[in-house]
């Protein structure tokens, strides 16, 4: 298959990638042969004979810093505007793609502590909407195509995707070997999925014509922040701080609205559609997922590898 990547800038944040020859592998990723900009999409539409469109665009939401209106607008626009551009390009296409996979997130759901959300549940009760539920609603709505249009639309509602060689995981691993802290009470759900399972699920979406609409892209095991933190520490052969990270400090670092709806609370979500389809998760439990990620990270050397080797003696 030929792959085309649409981006605001270079193919990778890694400067080496933008200077690499097509086909060369950088940080484990093979540089695509086709690179196009959003301006190209608006002007010329999709590349000819496009079979599948996968939309994962959006500014990261988890970096610490002031939670200000300008950031909220950037996060919103980076998802909704780009999705609308792709939807418009698909409808303009003389040969529309068979599948349009456009990301969403588990933030679409409410925060009822007594509920486990499936795709059959209404995302959030009236009157309990937040910036994040509205964001996910508009994100999914912007991917909708005209009634009767032949392209199948799927909205994966993603949990936290765990993958090695990513900046968030590298930070967590560095914290783990110095002693991680449980966040807040530690009882808040931590919806997650291993990158390998997320990729295989995308293949399933493409191949199985019965799949459409929202699909919860999370692992079947529901864990909380405390379980995740202890599992990560065990995988790194490290300990956990005796004192939890105070909630007031989390709110100070991330802003109250973001902290309360992402870090200090999250919905409990199960991948019901995937389970009903018979999808086989390679990493069903958090322990095996984090062991795999730590092993992959250690193969690249560095501080974590030295730490593990020292612990093993």
């Amino acid at each position: 298959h030929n792959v085309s990547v649409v981006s605001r800038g270079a193919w990778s944040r890694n400067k080496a990638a933008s200077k690499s020859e097509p086909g060369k592998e950088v940080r484990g990723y093979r540089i695509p042969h086709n690179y196009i900009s959003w301006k190209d999409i608006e002007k010329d539409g999709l590349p000819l004979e496009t079979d599948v469109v996968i939309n994962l665009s959006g500014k990261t939401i988890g970096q610490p810093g002031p939670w200000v209106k300008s950031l909220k607008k950037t996060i919103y626009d980076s998802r909704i505007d780009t999705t609308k551009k792709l939807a418009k390009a698909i409808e303009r296409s003389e040969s529309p793609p068979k599948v349009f996979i456009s990301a969403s997130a588990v933030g679409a759901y409410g925060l009822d502590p007594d509920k486990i959300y499936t795709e059959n549940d209404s995302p959030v009760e009236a009157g309990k909407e937040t910036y994040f539920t509205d964001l996910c609603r508009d994100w999914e709505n912007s991917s909708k195509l005209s009634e009767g249009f032949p392209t199948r639309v799927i909205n994966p509602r993603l949990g936290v995707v765990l993958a090695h060689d990513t900046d968030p995981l590298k930070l967590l691993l560095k914290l783990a070997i110095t002693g991680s802290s449980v966040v807040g009470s530690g009882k808040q759900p931590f919806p997650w999925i291993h990158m390998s399972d997320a990729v295989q699920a995308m293949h399933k979406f493409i191949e199985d014509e019965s799949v459409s609409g929202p699909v919860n892209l999370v692992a079947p095991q529901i864990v909380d922040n405390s379980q995740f933190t202890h599992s990560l520490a065990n995988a790194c052969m490290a300990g956990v701080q005796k004192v939890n990270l105070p909630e007031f400090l989390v709110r100070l670092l991330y802003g109250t609205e973001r902290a309360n709806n992402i870090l200090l609370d999250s919905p409990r979500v199960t991948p019901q559609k995937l389970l009903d389809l018979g999808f086989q998760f390679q990493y069903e439990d958090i322990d095996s997922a984090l062991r795999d990620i730590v092993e992959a990270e250690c193969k690249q050397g560095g501080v974590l590898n030295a730490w593990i080797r020292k612990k093993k003696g």
Side-chain angles (χ1 to χ4, degrees), residues 35-107:
Y35 168 80
I36 54 180
S37 69
W38 285 106
K39 288 184 178 179
D40 295 329
I41 289 289
E42 291 182 271
K43 179 183 176 183
D44 304 320
L46 299 177
L48 294 175
E49 299 181 352
T50 297
D51 291 321
V52 178
V53 175
I54 301 177
N55 174 30
L56 302 173
S57 61
K59 180 176 176 60
T60 181
I61 211 164
Q63 288 183 338
W67 186 236
V68 293
K69 287 183 178 180
S70 58
L71 176 59
K72 292 166 72 172
K73 185 178 187 304
T74 300
I75 288 171
Y76 184 93
D77 292 347
S78 67
R79 287 162 172 76
I80 280 67
D81 289 354
T82 51
T83 304
K84 285 181 178 178
K85 288 175 183 177
L86 285 174
K88 184 176 180 180
I90 289 170
E91 293 201 325
R92 286 170 48 202
S93 177
E94 294 182 4
S95 178
K98 297 176 182 177
V99 186
F100 180 26
I101 300 174
S102 188
S104 180
V106 296

Side-chain angles (χ1 to χ4, degrees), residues 21-285:
E21 294 295 326
K24 182 178 179 181
E25 196 167 283
V26 175
R27 293 183 67 187
Y29 297 94
R30 190 163 296 279
I31 307 305
H33 286 267
N34 302 313
Y35 168 80
I36 54 180
S37 69
W38 285 106
K39 288 184 178 179
D40 295 329
I41 289 289
E42 291 182 271
K43 179 183 176 183
D44 304 320
L46 299 177
L48 294 175
E49 299 181 352
T50 297
D51 291 321
V52 178
V53 175
I54 301 177
N55 174 30
L56 302 173
S57 61
K59 180 176 176 60
T60 181
I61 211 164
Q63 288 183 338
W67 186 236
V68 293
K69 287 183 178 180
S70 58
L71 176 59
K72 292 166 72 172
K73 185 178 187 304
T74 300
I75 288 171
Y76 184 93
D77 292 347
S78 67
R79 287 162 172 76
I80 280 67
D81 289 354
T82 51
T83 304
K84 285 181 178 178
K85 288 175 183 177
L86 285 174
K88 184 176 180 180
I90 289 170
E91 293 201 325
R92 286 170 48 202
S93 177
E94 294 182 4
S95 178
K98 297 176 182 177
V99 186
F100 180 26
I101 300 174
S102 188
S104 180
V106 296
Y109 295 111
L111 298 173
D112 186 341
D114 299 320
K115 192 174 186 66
I116 297 178
Y117 292 92
T118 74
E119 297 86 348
N120 293 325
D121 291 306
S122 299
V124 64
E125 296 178 32
K128 294 186 178 180
E129 298 90 347
T130 68
Y131 167 84
F132 300 98
T133 59
D134 289 347
L135 173 66
C136 292
R137 177 201 63 208
D138 294 349
W139 199 2
E140 293 180 14
N141 286 341
S142 62
S143 70
K144 290 182 177 179
L145 305 175
S146 302
E147 187 174 351
F149 199 81
T151 299
R152 188 161 45 92
V153 180
I154 302 159
N155 299 119
R157 289 176 175 165
L158 286 152
V160 177
V161 180
L162 302 177
H164 85 283
D165 201 24
T166 59
D167 291 341
L169 230 296
K170 283 182 179 296
L171 175 60
L172 284 174
L173 292 170
K174 287 179 181 177
L175 292 173
I177 62 176
T178 58
S180 298
S181 292
V182 173
V183 177
S185 70
K187 297 178 180 179
Q188 65 272 34
F190 186 87
W192 64 278
I193 188 168
H194 190 290
M195 173 68 87
S196 294
D197 284 327
V199 171
Q200 289 306 311
M202 294 286 187
H203 281 288
K204 180 71 172 176
F205 300 159
I206 294 168
E207 295 167 358
D208 192 328
E209 295 183 0
S210 70
V211 183
S212 64
V215 183
N216 293 339
L217 203 49
V218 296
Q221 184 192 33
I222 298 174
V223 301
D224 60 27
N225 178 268
S226 178
Q227 289 172 287
F228 170 79
T229 303
H230 282 84
S231 180
L232 181 62
N234 289 337
C236 294
M237 302 181 71
V240 175
Q241 299 286 353
K242 293 181 179 180
V243 179
N244 293 6
L245 187 65
E247 293 186 2
F248 81 87
L249 186 56
V250 180
R251 294 188 179 101
L252 183 65
L253 290 171
Y254 290 90
T256 298
E257 183 179 37
R258 181 165 45 165
N260 286 352
N261 289 277
I262 295 179
L263 298 168
L264 299 176
D265 205 354
S266 284
R268 291 197 299 164
V269 182
T270 191
Q272 195 60 53
K273 271 192 179 180
L274 283 173
L275 294 174
D276 291 344
L277 288 167
F279 180 78
Q280 296 295 312
F281 286 86
Q282 185 176 357
Y283 300 97
E284 293 187 337
D285 64 277

